[in-house]
Amino acid sequence: MTQKPAALVIGAGIAGIQAALDIADAGFPVYLVEREPSVGGRMAQLDKTFPTLDCSSCILTPKMVSVGQHPNIELLTYSEVVAVEGEAGGFRVTIKKKPRYVEEEICRGCGLCAEACRMHGRVVDVFNQGLGKRAAIYVPFPQAVPLVYTVDPTACLYLTRGVCGKTFKCQDACPTGAINFEQKERFTEVDVAAVIVATGFDLIDPRTKPEFGYGVYPNVITGLEFERLSSASGPTSGKIVLNGKEPRDAVFIHCVGSRDPHTGAPYCSRICCMYTAKHAHLVRDKLPNARITVFYIDMRAFGKGYEEFYDRVKEERVIYRRGEPSEVYRRGDRLVVRAEDSLLGRTVEVEADLVVLATAVVPRADTPAVAKLLGLSLSPDGFFLEAHPKYRPVETARPGVFLAGCCQGPKDIPDTVAQAKAAAASALVVLHQAIAK
Amino acid sequence: MAAMEPRPRIGVYICHCGTNIAATVDVAAVTEFAAALPGVVVARNYTYMCSEPGQALIKEDARTLGLNRVVVASCSPRMHEPTFRAASQEGGVNPYQFEMANIREQCSWVHHDRYEATEKAKALVYAAVMKAARLEPLEEREAPVTPGALIIGGGVAGMVAALDIADAGFPVHLVEKSDHLGGRVAELNRTFPDLEPVAEWLPALVDRVQRHPNITVYLNSRVTEITGFVGNFEATVEPVGLGLAPVKMKIGAIIIAAGYNVFDPRQKPEFGYGVYPQVVTTLELEGRLAAGDLRVDGKTPQDVVFIKCVGSRDKQLGRPYCSRVCCMISAKQAQLVRQALPDARVTVFYMDVRTFGKRGEEFYDEARRAGVRYRRGNVSEIYRRGDRVVVRVEDTLLGRTLEHEADLVVLAVGMEPRPEVADIAALLKLPRSADGFFLEAHPKLRPVDTAVDGVFLAGCCQSPKDIPDTVAQAKAAAASALIPLMRGVVPMEAATAIVDPELCAGCGMCVEICPFGAPALDPFWGVSRVNAVLCKGCGACAVTCPSKAIRLQHFTPDQILAQVEALVGW
């Protein structure tokens, strides 16, 4: 009996994880390729999820563990797809495995190397949105899958300067001898019948809206930074503390970059209204006496149970003001958010010591390159273009290549999961037909 | 019995869950306590037991220390019981000799006092260890799957799901209540945001379904009975009013794509729907736009008003939810009215504009550029003035009440569950959410699965959604259905009920109480027997049996009493 045809899933956020699990559960081999050292994607960075306030990692971790253990899934983390040739039913894919400088099979994830690293506590922690520091050898977060350390080539003293003292402290500390600076990038080729693209999204740099003072005032943060601040496993263990102080006045600003033709994101980012409502709830929960104000243009609570959640948050002494803030500026040691309140028809000023910007969901910077690699088209908004906006939302113009999650356009977790499963269904049809041939 | 088995060798693992547990419970103290309990060979604590190294601890101890029981004190078994059962099994421990103590949801998350929370965690661990010592090994079994699916509803959701399953090589029975396929979308003229005629793609979709060799379409039909379980359902489909015999079919999976109803605006009498001919619904306007005739009483309207959220976001009506499509439908119809009547004034009254989908915001911008006027306001009533109607509205941006004369008022009516949803829910014992739509298994990560294995949801019967989201969800339901169909087997419950024929009096109370039809009276011996394939291990029969002849495996009286004694004696 010949081996069953396989599928390739690019990106192991919740979309890629779900698509890979469905295909693998149906009995087909899956290559799940992730560029970062761990699977999990954006969802792993979130604190709680709306509207049920489930802890994000609590519902994600079981799925991450499943893809790590599934007999039908070959996980290729810290890897990138560099070539895709062929057609539906017979693609040949080249995958580049980047050097971790740690042997995956030997590392036990104990973390002694990171404690020993000379850069310990000195490297900006990207997973925590720069709110914390880590070592040059790291796992992005404790629940990482696979739980294998990676040497950050941009921070490691040896890899950047060619020298790290007399001996490598990490190698000396490693009890299993897993660290290997001789590792080189490797290339593997795999044959697959179908491809699912689940490469996710980025958030707009809020400095494109300089009037909000992000990067100038340390109390102005993004929604994703707030997630790490609020997360029990984040750098403050879940305490809402900025510069050593608990905020008394929190202001949330919707549509930072979204619905804005000047920033190149004229579209709605679809998730910000709800995650801001959740953030407001979390602030209320942790700081019962804080004054919380949300500035919005239109409140878009459209999903199942969302309007009900918005109603609940409004009843938790959260002030919703309809209006677009024009600027954030400093007054003494506090900030002032100046906005045109469109219901009152006048300009208002709200003092704040925490300003959270709900930044736009934007395509990943390398989307055009990925599109070229896979032979896909982009829509005017820069996301991948589906075959038909109404009845073929996960297919692309290239047969056998399907889209899942936010790489096709912004969407929340349930819609991402539904779309990922939809892409899996399309892939399963191709896999079935590849057997029949 | 116990004497025959090897002595319990129990491993206990206490999870910190980051700080979720460790911040409130002294995990080191609980570990020390557990290590001293009878039968416990090893007790450890770890940051995240569910992580790979956490699970590796269990596997390695099980092998090197010869464990035959595992206890994990962490979160709810709803979360990670499958994870730790699998880890136990990989370490050579029977997965049914694993027990979980919930010290997060039932302890650290609900208590603040560190001392008391720690004492409670110890009690929960003690009870779990006592039960674990008495757990018996059980075998996991598999049942074959009937290749084929039943889909209820022949709208876009049902058809798209049917095509994926049929294209993957399985027979599909597609049951539609009306005399045609296409559902609500067949009533539409053009779709947002490209104003594409539905006729460009829907007939082709219907045609492909009708011609597909793997799809059997049952029009004018209803599903009247469903029995069985995942992989092995049997359904009865009855043609309505044609005098034809019912059809019985065996299938492995079921997808419900029963669609939605539109809100009847007569429930808001202040809008005068059904009284004034000038007041129509968005669905009615769809037909008029298709026919190219927007006249009211023979007159071409000069002023057209759209009112959003009619029957949505309305707590008084018991419809607190957003219907998700009305903002885009209004933007579409307003543009089409502008095209058809270039001289007419077109105004949309809204609460919030929710144009969130791909190209949605751009489409809303196009509507405004095309001259559609958006005013934020709550409409309080509509009344007649001469041969026109007056829309009375509180403009929330101007902060005052306006009267707007109109010749045509379009009510953007929301979605509601169909009344048939109750019948289908009863057939399958499916739960519904507070809004009346079908309830998914998990709002974030299992949006198309239900509480009943093998039964999946597609489209607006789960909650309002637009066409692309419906198609994605329908294909998602197809993926869920394809998993058991393609695998050909489904795992069966191991913790089933067993009848002791010596004790059974044959009263039949278990037969009556069982929701799954598992027990039946043996006609020769007159005693009850439980069909292990149908049994879900709910235990209803065991507690009902007056002779105590039924024993639910994995929840036997001595196991539960040991647990209770541990807690009470604490």
Side-chain angles (χ1 to χ4, degrees):
Chain A
M1 206 178 129
T2 53
Q3 211 192 334
K4 280 187 168 180
L8 167 73
V9 178
I10 309 173
I14 183 58
I17 287 173
Q18 184 63 53
L21 284 175
D22 276 7
I23 296 170
D25 282 347
F28 292 91
V30 179
Y31 299 98
L32 178 57
V33 178
E34 168 58 49
R35 149 159 83 183
E36 298 295 326
S38 169
V39 304
R42 293 285 182 200
M43 193 175 164
Q45 291 179 288
L46 307 183
D47 177 22
K48 301 209 165 156
T49 58
F50 59 79
T52 49
L53 300 171
D54 268 320
C55 142
S56 185
S57 22
C58 302
I59 57 177
L60 177 65
T61 307
K63 293 206 181 238
M64 290 170 51
V65 171
S66 294
V67 290
Q69 295 179 342
H70 205 294
N72 289 343
I73 297 178
E74 184 170 339
L75 197 54
L76 296 133
T77 49
Y78 213 51
S79 299
E80 287 172 22
V81 172
V82 292
V84 177
E85 277 150 22
E87 55 185 36
F91 292 107
R92 166 139 297 194
V93 180
T94 311
I95 299 163
K96 177 174 84 179
K97 203 148 177 42
K98 298 180 279 187
R100 277 181 197 268
Y101 306 106
V102 175
E103 299 293 346
E104 282 188 26
E105 298 73 27
I106 302 175
C107 174
R108 287 204 318 226
C110 67
L112 292 173
C113 54
E115 276 172 37
C117 174
R118 289 181 209 275
M119 294 298 288
H120 181 74
R122 290 163 65 190
V123 181
V124 172
D125 185 346
V126 178
F127 180 82
N128 278 322
Q129 293 292 296
L131 296 176
K133 294 279 171 68
R134 58 163 166 79
I137 185 164
Y138 69 107
V139 285
F141 52 104
Q143 305 96 319
V145 171
L147 195 84
V148 171
Y149 275 73
T150 303
V151 178
D152 180 346
T154 66
C156 170
L157 288 174
Y158 173 67
L159 292 175
T160 52
R161 298 191 201 164
V163 61
C164 172
K166 285 202 177 81
T167 60
F168 296 116
K169 288 216 159 199
C170 53
Q171 270 184 348
D172 297 344
C174 179
T176 58
I179 298 166
N180 171 14
F181 282 101
E182 302 301 310
Q183 248 185 17
K184 297 276 179 289
E185 60 183 30
R186 280 175 295 145
F187 293 86
T188 42
E189 287 195 340
V190 296
D191 291 314
V192 298
V195 178
I196 291 177
V197 185
T199 49
F201 64 95
D202 264 331
L203 292 164
I204 202 166
D205 182 347
R207 277 170 284 237
T208 52
K209 303 277 288 180
E211 62 270 35
F212 293 149
Y214 179 86
V216 180
Y217 308 126
N219 291 11
V220 179
I221 66 172
T222 68
L224 194 57
E225 287 165 359
F226 182 88
E227 295 284 345
R228 296 314 305 149
L229 200 58
S230 177
S231 169
S233 55
T236 59
S237 301
K239 289 202 174 66
I240 310 286
V241 174
L242 272 173
N243 314 315
K245 281 197 336 205
E246 274 189 355
R248 281 180 292 145
D249 290 272
V251 171
F252 293 87
I253 302 177
H254 279 190
C255 298
V256 176
S258 306
R259 304 181 67 185
D260 186 340
H262 305 293
T263 59
Y267 51 85
C268 164
S269 290
R270 203 164 160 148
I271 54 173
C272 329
C273 283
M274 287 308 294
Y275 76 60
T276 299
K278 175 194 74 180
H279 289 171
H281 166 84
L282 291 172
V283 172
R284 173 58 69 233
D285 191 38
K286 296 180 184 196
L287 305 172
N289 298 319
R291 193 171 64 146
I292 305 169
T293 309
V294 180
F295 282 102
Y296 71 102
I297 311 178
D298 290 288
M299 182 62 200
R300 296 185 166 172
F302 55 82
K304 188 162 182 170
Y306 292 5
E307 187 78 28
E308 294 89 331
F309 184 75
Y310 169 45
D311 284 340
R312 169 184 169 182
V313 171
K314 278 191 292 187
E315 282 163 18
E316 294 175 336
R317 292 177 290 124
V318 173
I319 305 157
Y320 272 81
R321 299 191 85 147
R322 189 176 189 278
E324 285 180 78
S326 52
E327 61 174 327
V328 176
Y329 62 91
R330 194 202 302 266
R331 182 186 289 162
D333 59 350
R334 310 194 77 197
L335 297 173
V336 176
V337 180
R338 193 180 162 86
E340 170 77 21
D341 185 315
S342 56
L343 294 182
L344 298 180
R346 60 180 173 83
T347 305
V348 293
E349 293 195 334
V350 179
E351 284 205 2
D353 30 32
L354 169 65
V355 176
V356 183
L357 307 178
T359 46
V361 171
V362 293
R364 285 202 184 268
D366 62 355
T367 304
V370 177
K372 199 170 167 216
L373 176 74
L374 292 160
L376 303 181
S377 310
L378 302 181
S379 6
D381 54 20
F383 294 97
F384 290 118
L385 179 66
E386 63 281 3
H388 188 280
K390 299 307 270 192
Y391 73 100
R392 295 174 67 192
V394 301
E395 290 153 82
T396 67
R398 186 173 186 185
V401 181
F402 308 103
L403 304 174
C406 291
C407 66
Q408 181 260 344
K411 48 186 72 70
D412 57 22
I413 296 171
D415 287 349
T416 294
V417 171
Q419 218 209 9
K421 292 176 73 72
S426 285
L428 285 173
V429 169
V430 175
L431 293 168
H432 165 75
Q433 288 164 351
I435 295 182
K437 271 181 194 161
Chain B
M1 163 179 87
M4 298 295 291
E5 284 183 12
R7 291 171 57 81
R9 292 182 61 81
I10 306 171
V12 182
Y13 302 87
I14 322 287
C15 182
H16 301 198
C17 195
T19 54
N20 275 305
I21 293 169
T24 317
V25 171
D26 182 345
V27 288
V30 177
T31 312
E32 199 178 315
F33 166 81
L37 291 173
V40 173
V41 178
V42 61
R44 299 184 194 274
N45 61 73
Y46 189 70
T47 331
Y48 290 98
M49 279 309 300
C50 60
S51 66
E52 283 199 337
Q55 295 185 42
L57 281 178
I58 299 176
K59 293 177 210 170
E60 201 168 317
D61 282 351
R63 280 190 288 260
T64 55
L65 302 174
L67 301 182
N68 54 20
R69 307 281 197 284
V70 172
V71 171
V72 174
S74 59
C75 49
S76 159
R78 299 270 308 181
M79 190 70 68
H80 276 308
E81 189 176 66
T83 311
F84 296 125
R85 274 189 177 170
S88 304
Q89 188 164 27
E90 282 176 44
V93 177
N94 185 286
Y96 289 84
Q97 292 181 304
F98 161 78
E99 184 62 22
M100 212 157 167
N102 182 351
I103 60 165
R104 194 180 71 172
E105 284 85 343
Q106 294 175 357
C107 188
S108 71
W109 276 2
V110 288
H111 300 300
H112 293 290
D113 185 280
R114 191 171 167 85
Y115 172 76
E116 287 185 359
T118 304
E119 292 303 292
K120 180 171 173 181
K122 286 180 187 172
L124 291 168
V125 169
Y126 184 27
V129 167
M130 289 298 106
K131 184 179 180 194
R134 287 158 182 81
L135 286 174
E136 297 157 18
L138 296 175
E139 285 305 309
E140 287 186 328
R141 298 154 303 141
E142 289 181 330
V145 170
T146 311
L150 167 69
I151 297 180
I152 304 175
V156 164
M159 290 194 294
V160 166
L163 283 172
D164 273 356
I165 296 173
D167 282 345
F170 295 96
V172 176
H173 303 276
L174 181 59
V175 179
E176 165 59 39
K177 182 182 64 166
S178 77
D179 62 357
H180 64 278
L181 295 175
R184 291 281 179 198
V185 177
E187 297 173 48
L188 303 182
N189 167 35
R190 287 168 188 268
T191 54
F192 57 79
D194 294 323
L195 301 180
E196 187 184 13
V198 166
E200 303 241 320
W201 56 271
L202 186 68
L205 190 66
V206 171
D207 189 56
R208 195 156 117 63
V209 169
Q210 283 170 334
R211 286 168 184 272
H212 203 295
N214 288 346
I215 301 178
T216 313
V217 177
Y218 303 80
L219 295 176
N220 299 305
S221 298
R222 276 167 201 279
V223 177
T224 53
E225 198 187 353
I226 296 174
T227 58
F229 56 98
V230 56
N232 296 275
F233 292 106
E234 192 169 331
T236 308
V237 173
E238 265 184 45
V240 178
L242 297 173
L244 298 173
V247 184
K248 277 191 186 285
M249 59 194 63
K250 290 188 172 186
I251 59 264
I254 297 171
I255 292 176
I256 302 171
Y260 64 93
N261 262 2
V262 290
F263 173 72
D264 180 352
R266 274 173 291 229
Q267 292 182 55
K268 284 188 79 79
E270 62 271 31
F271 289 167
Y273 177 81
V275 180
Y276 308 128
Q278 289 91 343
V279 182
V280 302
T281 66
T282 34
L283 204 59
E284 287 161 359
L285 188 73
E286 204 67 33
R288 294 189 188 205
L289 284 164
D293 184 2
L294 296 178
R295 287 176 299 170
V296 178
D297 285 342
K299 279 185 8 196
T300 302
Q302 297 299 307
D303 199 301
V304 182
V305 165
F306 287 83
I307 301 174
K308 290 205 210 179
C309 299
V310 179
S312 303
R313 303 182 68 186
D314 191 331
K315 283 192 203 167
Q316 278 181 324
L317 288 170
R319 284 178 176 71
Y321 55 87
C322 164
S323 288
R324 200 161 163 147
V325 296
C326 326
C327 282
M328 285 299 285
I329 290 177
S330 306
K332 173 192 77 174
Q333 292 190 341
Q335 285 191 54
L336 292 171
V337 169
R338 283 286 301 162
Q339 286 176 14
L341 309 171
D343 298 328
R345 190 164 71 147
V346 179
T347 311
V348 178
F349 287 110
Y350 69 97
M351 282 203 265
D352 291 284
V353 178
R354 296 184 168 176
T355 47
F356 54 83
K358 191 158 179 170
R359 250 186 57 66
E361 187 73 20
E362 294 88 329
F363 188 69
Y364 167 42
D365 286 339
E366 285 158 23
R368 284 184 296 181
R369 275 203 298 276
V372 176
R373 302 174 354 148
Y374 274 79
R375 298 194 81 150
R376 190 175 190 276
N378 304 318
V379 175
S380 54
E381 62 174 329
I382 295 172
Y383 56 90
R384 194 201 304 266
R385 181 181 290 164
D387 56 356
R388 307 185 91 185
V389 288
V390 175
V391 179
R392 197 180 161 83
V393 56
E394 165 82 19
D395 185 314
T396 49
L397 295 184
L398 298 179
R400 60 187 170 83
T401 305
L402 303 171
E403 293 195 337
H404 186 115
E405 284 197 10
D407 308 302
L408 178 61
V409 177
V410 186
L411 307 179
V413 283
M415 292 188 185
E416 60 184 28
R418 284 186 189 273
E420 296 91 324
V421 160
D423 305 333
I424 298 170
L427 274 184
L428 283 158
K429 299 194 167 76
L430 282 182
R432 295 159 71 185
S433 25
D435 53 21
F437 293 96
F438 284 118
L439 180 65
E440 63 283 358
H442 188 279
K444 300 302 270 190
L445 296 186
R446 295 181 67 195
V448 302
D449 301 348
T450 68
V452 181
D453 290 346
V455 179
F456 310 103
L457 304 173
C460 293
C461 66
Q462 183 256 340
S463 78
K465 48 186 71 70
D466 61 17
I467 297 174
D469 288 348
T470 294
V471 170
Q473 218 208 8
K475 292 174 73 73
S480 280
L482 280 172
I483 291 171
L485 297 177
M486 285 183 141
R487 281 170 72 103
V489 288
V490 284
M492 299 303 304
E493 179 58 52
T496 54
I498 296 176
V499 183
D500 183 344
E502 301 283 317
L503 294 177
C504 176
C507 69
M509 284 174 72
C510 54
V511 181
E512 266 173 52
I513 197 86
C514 178
F516 308 102
L521 288 182
D522 184 314
F524 183 75
W525 296 103
V527 295
S528 172
R529 290 191 197 285
V530 174
N531 180 342
V533 178
L534 294 174
C535 178
K536 285 275 183 194
C538 73
C541 57
V543 294
T544 305
C545 178
S547 332
K548 295 188 170 51
I550 304 184
R551 180 169 171 273
L552 179 64
Q553 300 180 95
H554 205 61
F555 296 94
T556 63
D558 69 314
Q559 290 165 359
I560 292 173
L561 287 173
Q563 221 171 350
V564 173
E565 272 167 28
L567 289 170
V568 173
W570 176 252

